[in-house]
Amino acid sequence: GLYANKIRAIIRELGCNAYDSHVAAGYADRPFEVHLPSQLEPWFSVTDFGIGLDHDQVTNIYTTYFESTKTNSNEFVGALGLGSKSPFSYTENFTVTARKNGTQRIYTAFINDSGVPSVALMAEMPTTESNGVEVKFAVTDQNDFNKFAHEAGYVFKYFSLPPKFSGRQIQLAERTYSDRDIVPGVHQY
């Protein structure tokens, strides 16, 4: 019941987390990736190439409400520790693939019998891929494929650097402002 528009909230929250990870890693000019569900590839995912997460970070971030790694800086969009759990508003479980310092770990995130977010480590292996995180879940209702595309278009048109899309391509609307630089960098939409 936290989000009025669950799909938009998930896209916004996971997109902001990916952006924040890129900022933290010094890659603010590198797009993260978003996979939109389609008939042949019915899943949604957001993948970043930022700082990554180790086992303790995944365990803390995905199982504790109001746990955030971004509370001590104004450089980040998020800070409340709710966005990482946003997929639970749509699905009962999702996959988190975390790569950090040459190790890749794959987790399933789920709500346990007590109603508490939990994670289970499914696999751990060495990797040569860069640090980063992918959050992925199945979209089983085909009627939602268009909703994910529509909401992604709405959310990401406000990002200064849009993500790279796969699965389904969308065209982001041009941002137009009625008044620019009210205060430097602040525009009225």
Side-chain angles (χ1 to χ4, degrees):
L2 183 62
Y3 303 114
N5 185 330
K6 295 174 184 179
I7 293 172
R8 182 181 295 173
I10 293 165
I11 293 169
R12 180 187 62 242
E13 298 289 355
L14 297 181
C16 288
N17 285 350
Y19 171 80
D20 284 345
S21 183
H22 280 209
V23 168
Y27 303 144
D29 60 344
R30 180 179 181 187
F32 56 90
E33 296 178 359
V34 172
H35 182 278
L36 296 171
S38 67
Q39 200 71 20
L40 295 174
E41 300 175 328
W43 73 84
F44 175 78
S45 68
V46 175
T47 306
D48 72 63
F49 308 97
I51 57 174
L53 298 172
D54 63 26
H55 178 72
D56 290 338
Q57 290 171 314
V58 169
T59 302
N60 290 331
I61 291 168
Y62 287 93
T63 63
T64 309
Y65 286 109
F66 303 107
E67 176 67 26
S68 176
T69 60
K70 303 178 275 190
T71 56
N72 295 324
S73 174
N74 289 331
E75 297 297 313
F76 304 117
V77 176
L80 297 178
L82 297 173
S84 61
K85 281 72 107 187
S86 64
F88 286 131
S89 68
Y90 183 84
T91 185
E92 293 180 4
N93 59 68
F94 57 95
T95 302
V96 177
T97 302
R99 299 175 313 279
K100 182 136 184 158
N101 300 333
T103 302
Q104 175 174 290
R105 294 177 183 91
I106 302 172
Y107 301 85
T108 186
F110 61 97
I111 302 293
N112 69 19
D113 292 339
S114 301
V116 177
S118 302
V119 294
L121 177 62
M122 306 303 287
E124 181 175 333
M125 65 208 75
T127 184
T128 57
E129 291 186 55
S130 66
N131 290 345
V133 173
E134 176 191 60
V135 177
K136 180 178 180 178
F137 59 88
V139 178
T140 56
D141 186 346
Q142 293 182 10
N143 294 319
D144 287 344
F145 294 174
N146 285 335
K147 292 176 187 175
F148 272 89
H150 173 77
E151 295 301 338
Y154 179 83
V155 168
F156 293 125
K157 74 179 178 183
Y158 295 104
F159 278 53
S160 57
L161 179 65
K164 179 181 172 189
F165 293 103
S166 64
R168 180 172 177 174
Q169 298 302 309
I170 61 170
Q171 193 70 16
L172 296 179
E174 186 76 25
R175 286 178 290 166
T176 57
Y177 300 103
S178 59
D179 198 6
R180 296 186 66 82
D181 291 318
I182 299 166
V183 175
V186 176
H187 314 302
Q188 183 174 346
Y189 183 71

